[in-house]
Amino acid sequence: MKRIFLLLTFMLSFLQLKADEGMWLLTMIKRLNGVDLQKHGLKLTAEEIYSVNNSSLKDAIVQFGGGCTAEMVSKEGLLFTNHHCGYGNIAALSTPEKDHLTNGFWAMKRSEELPAKGLSVRFMVRMDDVSKRINDKLNNNMSGDERKNIIDAEFKAIQTENSENGKYTVVVKSFYNGNEFYYFVYQDFKDVRLVGTPPNALGKYGGDTDNWEWPRHTVDFSVFRVYADANGNPAEYAPGNVPMKPKHALPISLRGYKPGDFTMIVGFPGTTNRFLSSFGIEQMVTKDYPAWVEASKMAMDVMKKYMDKDQATKINYASQYASVANYWKNRQGTIDAVNKNGTIADKKKLEQTFQNWALLPENEAMYGSVLQEIKSNYSQISDRNVERNYSSQLQRNAKYISIAYQVGSLLKSYADQDEAGKAAMKPKVIAAIDRVYEKLNVKLEGEMLNSMVNLYQQRVNKNVGSQTLFAADAKTLSNVAFSSIFATKESAMNFVNNPDRLKIDADPLFKMANSFVEDQKLGGDKFAKIDEAFAKNSRIFLDGLRKSQPNTAFYPDANSTMRLTTGSITTLPERSDRNYAGIKQKDNYYTEINGMVAKHKVGDEEFELPQRFLDLVKKKDFGQYKDKKGFMPVNFLSNNDITGGNSGSPVLDGEGRLLGLAFDGNSEALSGDIIFDKKLQKTISVDVRMVLWTIEKYGNAGHLISEMTLVK
């Protein structure tokens, strides 16, 4: 009965919430029967949004490559996502001779579509709540290991019960810091092919300068196609595969929008920490993120030095550089936004209200000291968290460490085989070496290793850091790497052809990599009890926070599961340091193509437009894609609640028709992962009409448009 009461309270509180805040599980919309959303402009029923037995909106939305979102736009498996989501795959398919990043690419027939190696898309089949099933077996008196073992066993059982002997991938996840549990059934398609992409000059227009800023003029999209076997089932790439037939493909609206129009976004947001304590936010912006910013900037500088010298290196490291640069600016922007917006002070007010409730006689035993415990946890793990940030950037960017560890382990196993075993294993070993060294710049990696280890030594507290890294001579590590078995593809292949187990064990880079990994494990063991206590305290705090505010809707933090967020077309207050290219404040909800041309700068890597694009704009041949007000739209603003992982998500109108593709947030609200700012937090999207115009007019790929359903 108590659970039913809490559910009703949750439902009623949701009805009072503004439509623009929250990333909601689709079953929550069904639970509410769409009552509140219909008031704001939603025309679809709950069943049309999420259905297990019938085609619904969810069937057109896919997780793209594990870190982005995409949407099906034709019954022939065609999908849209962001250019920056497809960036790594486009780069992998590029060479100096066929530079699809720089020049763009358009397949004029299906036989020209390029298989994207390693890329997959994930469709959600269904989901369900298993909170009661799991929580009935748990209690707060259990040790962390006892709790983990029970949860792991239940997760495994649920996966077995729903996978249909491997047909589906089943993922069980915790919500609300471990207070609730849901499972998700997915179907993964692994034959995905590049169909079209604009050149970098359009897809990344504005570069790092405009990243996270408004106004934007970025044509941030790419086009892929999903293939299946002859029976429509997922299959590895094969020339005989056929375009898969999605249960639902989004119709595309050419009607445009105006301020106040209803919008919704469905996608796979990655991670938010909206329930983070003031202590956690303070740790983040004063210690953790500054470490991330410094380390990522150093990695960017090393990459840029070599990318500017060589076109092949520029292509090969383009995706890594773009990813690091994106998070570098995001983390610094988060620090600035938290400080400017008074986020920590706001959290402290909320925590004081909670503490007043927690100290009531009926609550004190369970909740009275939990905030103080969390504060104590942070003081204990503060230096360790800083180490993790420097270490994560080192491991991500100094590839020689991961190469020595992973390839070294493989070569060690290979060397231990008898002759027959070596012969059987050799193709796998060669394939791994080809993959690892295919686009490696040896000099870049040597300097990266020196620089990142040197920074680690300078910034990390020795009491929590890797003793292996502290013992290394950072100035000469590149020499160690260059003399290693793992220096180059040639040296690794030389070992394959002349295997000697003793040489692996004696290799200085291999020994260093293994010792570093062992240091990381020991560090984890050292803080295991503190981490266990922190997890428990965080779970109890959120449980109490929800109970202390029965009239507040607590949507779950993002965790890469499908969510729906609703909002409307809106404006953003102007800033004196931004170029609005003549846009008046009342129209500051969109940008148009002439503003894009106004930013054009010859010779500027971020703002130089292709001559073909300039010629097309001059002709003003915008056809059916021009807005009824007379402008050719590029980007637009809404107040939907999104985060990383939502990139590529469809922005939909109330009838489920595609208006555009979400690709960014705004710098004024980069604290959005920890607090939603109702006044400042916006979503920046590329207008689908600009996408279609680019495909048809710039790419001469109008045959793709004929696959889609356009609503005029």
Side-chain angles (χ1 to χ4, degrees), residues 233-246:
N233 297 315
E236 298 288 344
Y237 168 77
N241 286 349
V242 298
M244 67 90 63
K245 310 288 185 183

Side-chain angles (χ1 to χ4, degrees), residues 488-500:
T488 63
K489 178 180 178 179
E490 290 72 26
S491 59
M493 283 302 303
N494 183 58
F495 180 88
V496 172
N497 295 324
N498 302 279
D500 184 341

Side-chain angles (χ1 to χ4, degrees), residues 599-611:
K599 288 184 174 181
H600 168 64
K601 296 178 184 177
V602 176
D604 190 311
E605 187 176 13
E606 295 183 320
F607 290 99
E608 182 171 19
L609 290 165
Q611 188 59 49

Side-chain angles (χ1 to χ4, degrees), residues 28 32 42 68 146 149 189 200 216 263 297 444 459 467 477 499 549 555 557 624 670 682 708:
M28 291 181 178
L32 293 167
L42 178 65
C68 280
E146 287 174 323
N149 289 338
F189 285 78
N200 254 352
R216 293 291 290 276
T263 56
K297 182 63 169 64
L444 184 159
R459 296 290 189 264
Q467 298 309 305
L477 276 177
Q549 299 184 51
Y555 47 84
D557 264 323
Q624 62 182 333
L670 277 176
K682 312 297 179 185
M708 307 171 199

Side-chain angles (χ1 to χ4, degrees), residues 462-526:
K462 285 190 176 182
N463 292 326
V464 299
S466 164
Q467 298 309 305
T468 299
L469 294 188
F470 286 125
D473 182 355
K475 295 179 181 179
T476 62
L477 276 177
S478 59
N479 295 334
V480 172
F482 296 156
S483 64
S484 167
I485 291 169
F486 310 100
T488 63
K489 178 180 178 179
E490 290 72 26
S491 59
M493 283 302 303
N494 183 58
F495 180 88
V496 172
N497 295 324
N498 302 279
D500 184 341
R501 167 64 184 272
L502 295 178
K503 286 185 178 180
I504 285 280
D505 290 335
D507 188 273
L509 190 60
F510 182 66
K511 289 196 294 184
M512 176 185 169
N514 276 272
S515 295
F516 173 63
V517 170
E518 187 60 31
D519 288 347
Q520 295 289 299
K521 291 177 181 177
L522 291 174
D525 294 341
K526 180 179 178 181

